[in-house]
Amino acid sequence: MSKIIIGRYIPGDSIIYKMDPRGKIIATFLFIVIIFLANNWLSYLFLSIFTLLAVWATKLKPKVFWDGVKPLIWLILFTSVLQLFFTTGGKIYWHWGILNISEYGIQNSIFIFIRFVMIILISTVLTLTTTSLEIADGMEWILKPLGYLKVPVAQIALVMSIALRFVPILLDQAVRIMNAQRARGADFNSGGLIKRIHSIIPILIPLFIGSLTIAIDLATAMEARGYREGAKRTRYRVLKWSKYDWINLGYFTLLTLILLLTRTY
Amino acid sequence: MKDNIVTVQHLSFTYKDTKHPAVNDVSFNIPKGSWTTLVGHNGSGKSTIARLLDGILLPDENSETLIQIDGITLNEKTMWDIRDKVGIVFQNPDNQFVGATVEDDVAFGLENRQVPRLKMQTIVHDVINQVGMLKFQKSEPQYLSGGQKQRVAIAGILAIGPKLIILDESTSMLDPAGKDKILALIRKVQKENGLTIFSITHDINEASQADQILVLNQGTLLASGSPIEIFKDESLIKSAGLELPLFYKVKNKLIKRGITVPQEIDNEKKLVNYLCQLNLKM
């Protein structure tokens, strides 16, 4: 379970850690949009430099970023290879049936490869340097305008932060249930597909009941502490916009400008 | 007579899917500033009483039923005022931790009461300090032990400044050392804040240290009184499905053997001293 890199947070103390999650989330989303502005070698070069600088600024070991890319490496290679063989145009170096390797094909496959890796790297920068709690807070702020459409943003935020809080507890519980079932002879790692699905049932049912019990207990505890559904509440945790967030914003704007300037039309 | 902070008269409660009442015509008083313990074996309706006192459950309709806490009569309208006066620490430390970190959790009750943020910060800091968790202020619950989580729960209750703390088997999931520490902490905050404690337990040793004991069996109140009065009668405790604490077992056996042990001897140390004196006289 500990191998999952998505959503993993590694504590640290570099400049990226000091940034406001709102700024980081917005910048990450916009990054995925502006990445499509790049369409020539120069713009891809700048894109890579800016991304690698952001990665470097986290002061984390390169290995954790490699762990982020690794699970998707086959998808990346598959897409790049398709681009390589099926794009026509420019000089043709090799030709066989419908397959051919052309100048544009090589170029496109390298672009796609860079694009993929950069998106993964930037989103890994976000998840590694921001606790899930900060992400939930940031998302709440971003979702706030939906309040005008009668979307219960405060309730959704509470649900998000409770859900995040119970992820480690439920993981623990799942491991404990698996061990308990193993002690009674259950086997989770062998047999065909059907047998494996069958062997999940003795984990899922207790886990489901367990989470309902937690929900009931927690609801009682919340009510006993004065929580009223839909009532106004004040907030203890607030996000603060600091000078680091202006750096973040400035950095992102600079990248956008450079991409616009170097783009060929 | 001291004032009563809790007055309960003719309280009955029946769960929807059962025929027999979980709590049957229970009446008792809790004096201000005292430590009252409700004992009973599993399924005797102890936790139900805790939930009834806080308005989480509403009693069966009966004109004679009265629950009064600090002068306020509990009904659907006053429920939220009552909750400002009563704090409950529940059994499972994991399932009552609402916030994502210690300070968030302590602030939860204050957020619900719309306390402004600056004021919240001082209160949160103070109460976390009071329960000795300042070092863990920013910690997430999965890095805390069960005893530490219960400390946080106590801090969360102290933050809203209640009059009465209900401990609903709060120590039953802790190891013996954690249990003793939590009970000592509660004694400390009781003194510092002038609180009344209503603890619910099946740990008879914990009960023997209370000012008043209520014995509950299958929803009915069998007896109430000081530990000395209650533990005199072994058959009463047996009929509630409980065992006497070791000290009282020894004391009662001595009395049976014809050794006169005075009433006022109510703990191990006094008994040891008394027996040593007896030895000298012989």
Side-chain angles (χ1 to χ4, degrees):
Chain A
M1 300 268 181
S2 59
K3 274 182 191 156
I4 301 168
I5 185 91
I6 300 160
R8 204 171 104 194
Y9 166 78
I10 299 178
D13 194 31
S14 60
I15 175 167
I16 301 225
Y17 283 93
K18 296 191 182 103
M19 287 174 186
D20 191 300
R22 292 169 291 186
K24 280 196 269 188
I25 294 169
I26 293 172
T28 305
F29 274 108
L30 289 180
F31 180 87
I32 295 166
V33 175
I34 64 157
I35 209 165
F36 293 99
L37 287 174
N39 62 356
N40 59 34
W41 287 105
L42 193 62
S43 52
Y44 270 103
L45 180 70
F46 276 113
L47 193 71
S48 312
I49 290 172
F50 269 72
T51 312
L52 291 175
L53 275 176
V55 167
W56 171 81
T58 62
K59 303 256 170 75
L60 291 172
K61 286 188 201 121
K63 197 191 163 289
V64 295
F65 289 96
W66 168 238
D67 285 342
V69 177
K70 212 161 49 181
L72 294 168
I73 197 78
W74 291 111
L75 180 70
I76 301 171
L77 288 178
F78 179 70
T79 322
S80 305
V81 166
L82 280 189
Q83 285 286 335
L84 180 66
F85 285 123
F86 290 101
T87 314
T88 50
K91 223 182 198 176
I92 291 180
Y93 299 109
W94 180 79
H95 182 85
W96 184 78
I98 51 164
L99 302 178
N100 59 69
I101 295 179
S102 65
E103 194 185 333
Y104 285 177
I106 293 172
Q107 197 181 333
N108 263 1
S109 73
I110 292 174
F111 283 175
I112 290 274
F113 183 82
I114 295 175
R115 203 182 277 171
F116 254 117
V117 172
M118 294 306 134
I119 289 178
I120 294 166
L121 283 183
I122 275 294
S123 46
T124 314
V125 166
L126 173 72
T127 53
L128 287 180
T129 63
T130 322
T131 59
S132 36
L133 202 67
E134 285 176 319
I135 293 184
D137 282 348
M139 289 303 286
E140 187 197 354
W141 185 85
I142 293 165
L143 291 178
K144 235 177 208 163
L146 289 179
Y148 294 108
L149 299 172
K150 298 247 152 56
V151 178
V153 178
Q155 265 105 311
I156 292 173
L158 190 71
V159 168
M160 267 202 287
S161 75
I162 289 174
L164 289 172
R165 195 181 107 33
F166 278 94
V167 168
I169 290 179
L170 288 177
L171 274 179
D172 266 7
Q173 220 169 47
V175 172
R176 213 175 309 141
I177 293 169
M178 277 173 86
N179 288 340
Q181 305 287 25
R182 274 202 193 104
R184 289 162 180 75
D187 179 10
F188 300 112
N189 299 319
S190 67
L193 186 66
I194 306 274
K195 188 179 168 279
R196 283 197 188 201
I197 291 173
H198 260 286
S199 67
I200 289 177
I201 294 172
I203 306 173
L204 274 191
I205 290 177
L207 199 61
F208 206 71
I209 295 170
S211 35
L212 286 179
T213 316
I214 293 178
I216 293 169
D217 279 3
L218 190 70
T220 312
M222 284 168 66
E223 223 182 294
R225 291 173 66 183
Y227 180 77
R228 297 163 90 157
E229 208 199 318
K232 263 217 163 80
R233 309 176 64 232
T234 44
R235 281 192 66 105
Y236 179 76
R237 233 177 27 235
V238 289
L239 299 168
K240 258 190 234 125
W241 195 261
S242 68
K243 64 170 189 231
Y244 299 106
D245 302 300
W246 292 114
I247 297 175
N248 179 15
L249 216 64
Y251 189 78
F252 181 76
T253 319
L254 189 67
L255 174 63
T256 315
L257 285 176
I258 290 176
L259 285 185
L260 283 172
L261 287 175
T262 53
R263 181 180 160 88
T264 43
Y265 294 94
Chain B
M1 267 303 282
K2 268 195 278 183
D3 296 340
N4 292 326
I5 189 160
V6 178
T7 310
V8 174
Q9 280 166 18
H10 306 293
L11 176 66
S12 295
F13 179 79
T14 314
Y15 281 103
K16 264 180 197 149
D17 45 359
T18 55
K19 275 184 196 156
H20 299 288
V23 174
N24 193 4
D25 198 21
V26 167
S27 305
F28 61 89
N29 294 320
I30 299 178
K32 218 170 234 175
S34 72
W35 183 303
T36 298
T37 299
L38 178 66
V39 291
H41 68 102
N42 293 336
S44 58
K46 302 188 301 285
S47 296
T48 310
I49 288 186
R51 283 162 175 72
L52 285 164
L53 286 187
D54 202 32
I56 293 170
L57 297 174
L58 290 172
D60 292 346
E61 300 226 355
N62 176 352
S63 54
E64 286 174 64
T65 302
L66 175 77
I67 300 176
Q68 215 168 39
I69 290 169
D70 203 27
I72 303 175
T73 306
L74 177 70
N75 57 40
E76 272 175 76
K77 273 182 211 152
T78 56
M79 205 159 79
W80 299 101
D81 301 325
I82 296 275
R83 282 177 199 170
D84 287 346
K85 306 208 175 260
V86 182
I88 310 186
V89 183
F90 291 95
Q91 181 177 22
N92 190 332
D94 265 322
N95 301 0
Q96 56 179 309
F97 207 108
V98 188
T101 64
V102 168
E103 47 179 3
D104 283 322
D105 188 67
V106 173
F108 180 75
L110 297 169
E111 290 178 327
N112 292 334
R113 288 168 179 81
Q114 300 181 47
V115 176
R117 188 159 172 276
L118 276 177
K119 208 172 150 199
M120 256 198 284
Q121 282 173 324
T122 30
I123 298 175
V124 167
H125 182 270
D126 285 352
V127 294
I128 291 180
N129 191 19
Q130 211 182 350
V131 299
M133 289 289 290
L134 217 46
K135 239 177 27 190
F136 300 94
Q137 199 175 356
K138 306 245 182 245
S139 300
E140 290 170 38
Q142 67 260 38
Y143 303 114
L144 301 178
S145 72
Q148 287 171 329
K149 280 179 213 162
Q150 292 300 55
R151 274 166 192 270
V152 177
I154 294 167
I157 285 166
L158 291 177
I160 58 162
K163 296 266 170 72
L164 171 72
I165 293 187
I166 299 177
L167 307 170
D168 184 5
E169 301 203 37
S170 311
T171 57
S172 67
M173 288 176 89
L174 304 181
D175 57 285
K179 196 179 224 169
D180 291 343
K181 274 188 194 159
I182 287 293
L183 288 175
L185 173 73
I186 293 168
R187 258 169 239 272
K188 191 190 95 165
V189 299
Q190 182 192 18
K191 255 189 212 147
E192 286 172 1
N193 304 30
L195 299 169
T196 309
I197 309 287
F198 181 51
S199 88
I200 291 168
T201 181
H202 50 225
D203 179 0
I204 207 82
N205 289 312
E206 189 189 320
S208 66
Q209 292 165 21
D211 301 322
Q212 184 189 207
I213 297 181
L214 309 170
V215 184
L216 195 70
N217 188 32
Q218 291 180 344
T220 29
L221 201 59
L222 289 186
S224 64
S226 67
I228 295 179
E229 286 162 15
I230 296 290
F231 292 131
K232 225 169 27 189
D233 191 356
E234 201 167 342
S235 61
L236 168 86
I237 297 296
K238 279 237 166 89
S239 66
L242 297 166
E243 284 237 8
L244 277 183
L246 181 65
F247 161 74
Y248 286 97
K249 263 190 199 163
V250 172
K251 187 178 160 189
N252 288 352
K253 280 242 162 82
L254 286 173
I255 293 172
K256 244 186 214 164
R257 289 278 177 98
I259 298 168
T260 45
V261 182
Q263 266 289 328
E264 67 270 14
I265 287 181
D266 62 351
N267 64 36
E268 251 172 73
K269 216 174 167 187
K270 281 187 194 165
L271 185 67
V272 170
N273 280 342
Y274 179 75
L275 288 180
C276 288
Q277 278 171 13
L278 261 190
N279 200 22
L280 283 176
K281 281 179 200 159
M282 282 205 296

